[in-house]
């Protein structure tokens, strides 16, 4: 299994749709998990951290399943401005973050 | 405004020349990192530094060098030994614990011809 593996995408959805991204990780000792978004030709920006109990921030919900080594991100009522690449990120040892390749989302009017 | 700055935004160099990319942060973060991103690829770690005057190699350190003489600054030199230097280079910083999220600068696009 790759260190961090994401849905390859791309996802094309209409405005208002609900979209879910999935991510699996191989290191069972990983402690922290994040979702970043990256706009075209820009730097990644932290979207949200992912906690064991699951967490929600407005239209965004992140969940973690440690037993299955699986992380998800749900976007409800998607907006045009949600169009970006979504990166699943997992910490390993020695301060290192491991990034997935990302999943491209395009929200269409 | 607190943040991370990288300069320049675009950089063009001839093959065989060394080039240094700047990264400065005023977030008072202890840890700093350099990544490169190639089209269709995830970010790959080049070097990281947890504290001033100390740094460690990441996954793809060959052909690169760094220094960490000040907490705020972590410059990256791309040497002529780096076989494929053309890429998008991203600097990041975080607090000193590995569980803290990293914040990125705007990046430098380096093109070597």
């Amino acid at each position: 299994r790759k260190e961090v593996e994401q849905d390859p995408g791309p996802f094309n959805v209409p405005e208002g749709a609900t979209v879910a991204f999935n991510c699996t990780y191989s290191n069972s000792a990983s402690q922290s998990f994040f979702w970043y978004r990256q706009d075209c030709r820009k730097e990644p920006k932290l979207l949200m951290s992912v906690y064991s109990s699951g967490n929600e921030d407005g239209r965004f919900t992140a969940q973690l399943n440690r037993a299955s080594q699986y992380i998800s991100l749900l976007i409800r009522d998607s907006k045009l401005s949600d169009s970006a690449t979504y990166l699943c990120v997992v910490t390993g040892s020695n301060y290192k973050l491991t990034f997935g390749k990302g999943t491209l989302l395009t929200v269409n009017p | 405004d607190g943040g991370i700055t990288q300069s320049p935004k675009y950089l063009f160099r001839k093959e065989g020349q060394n080039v240094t990319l700047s990264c400065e942060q005023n977030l008072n973060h202890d840890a700093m990192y350099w990544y490169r991103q190639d089209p269709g690829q995830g970010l790959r770690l080049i070097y990281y530094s947890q504290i001033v005057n100390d740094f460690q190699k990441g996954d793809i350190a060959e052909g690169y060098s760094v220094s960490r003489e000040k907490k705020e600054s972590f410059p990256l030199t791309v040497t002529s030994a780096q076989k494929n230097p053309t890429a998008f280079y991203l600097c990041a910083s975080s607090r000193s614990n590995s569980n803290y999220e990293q914040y990125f600068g705007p990046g430098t696009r380096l093109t070597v011809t």
Side-chain angles (χ1 to χ4, degrees):
Chain A
R1 180 191 268 185
K2 290 182 184 174
E3 285 192 82
V4 178
E5 197 156 7
Q6 296 187 236
D7 288 332
F11 285 25
N12 285 280
V13 302
E15 267 187 293
T18 295
V19 60
F21 301 118
N22 301 314
C23 173
T24 56
Y25 62 95
S26 61
N27 184 357
S28 59
S30 296
Q31 293 296 314
S32 296
F33 310 88
F34 309 99
W35 284 101
Y36 281 73
R37 72 169 275 167
Q38 185 174 23
D39 293 291
C40 188
R41 301 180 70 80
K42 300 282 191 180
E43 75 274 23
K45 292 188 177 176
L46 180 66
L47 180 64
M48 58 198 305
S49 301
V50 186
Y51 304 119
S52 296
S53 54
N55 48 303
E56 188 173 308
D57 182 3
R59 298 180 293 109
F60 299 84
T61 300
Q63 293 200 312
L64 167 65
N65 183 324
R66 284 189 185 271
S68 302
Q69 294 178 211
Y70 169 90
I71 306 158
S72 65
L73 176 68
L74 185 76
I75 304 176
R76 290 181 300 278
D77 188 25
S78 50
K79 313 289 185 193
L80 296 178
S81 57
D82 293 334
S83 297
T85 296
Y86 289 83
L87 305 172
C88 174
V89 184
V90 174
T91 58
S93 59
N94 296 327
Y95 296 68
K96 289 170 62 174
L97 293 186
T98 302
F99 289 77
K101 290 186 178 181
T103 304
L104 176 62
L105 170 67
T106 301
V107 181
N108 301 302
Chain B
D1 269 320
I4 304 174
T5 56
Q6 291 185 244
S7 60
K9 190 172 182 179
Y10 298 96
L11 192 54
F12 298 89
R13 280 293 182 271
K14 296 285 189 188
E15 199 173 314
Q17 292 179 333
N18 291 354
V19 60
T20 297
L21 311 185
S22 163
C23 177
E24 305 277 331
Q25 55 98 0
N26 62 4
L27 300 168
N28 200 33
H29 283 170
D30 286 313
M32 296 186 74
Y33 313 81
W34 274 105
Y35 296 88
R36 73 176 272 169
Q37 188 175 35
D38 295 282
Q41 300 294 318
L43 275 70
R44 292 184 291 166
L45 182 65
I46 304 172
Y47 267 98
Y48 62 102
S49 168
Q50 299 172 10
I51 198 168
V52 174
N53 292 323
D54 186 50
F55 48 82
Q56 284 79 40
K57 293 182 179 179
D59 300 319
I60 54 164
E62 186 176 349
Y64 299 98
S65 65
V66 293
S67 62
R68 186 87 187 276
E69 296 176 3
K70 298 187 299 182
K71 187 175 185 177
E72 302 80 18
S73 178
F74 191 40
L76 173 75
T77 297
V78 184
T79 75
S80 56
Q82 167 49 232
K83 296 195 186 328
N84 296 295
T86 295
F88 186 36
Y89 289 88
L90 289 156
C91 179
S93 70
S94 70
R95 286 185 278 174
S96 60
N97 184 290
S98 64
N99 290 336
Y100 287 114
E101 53 268 20
Q102 294 181 12
Y103 296 91
F104 286 83
T108 293
R109 289 195 180 274
L110 173 65
T111 302
V112 177
T113 56

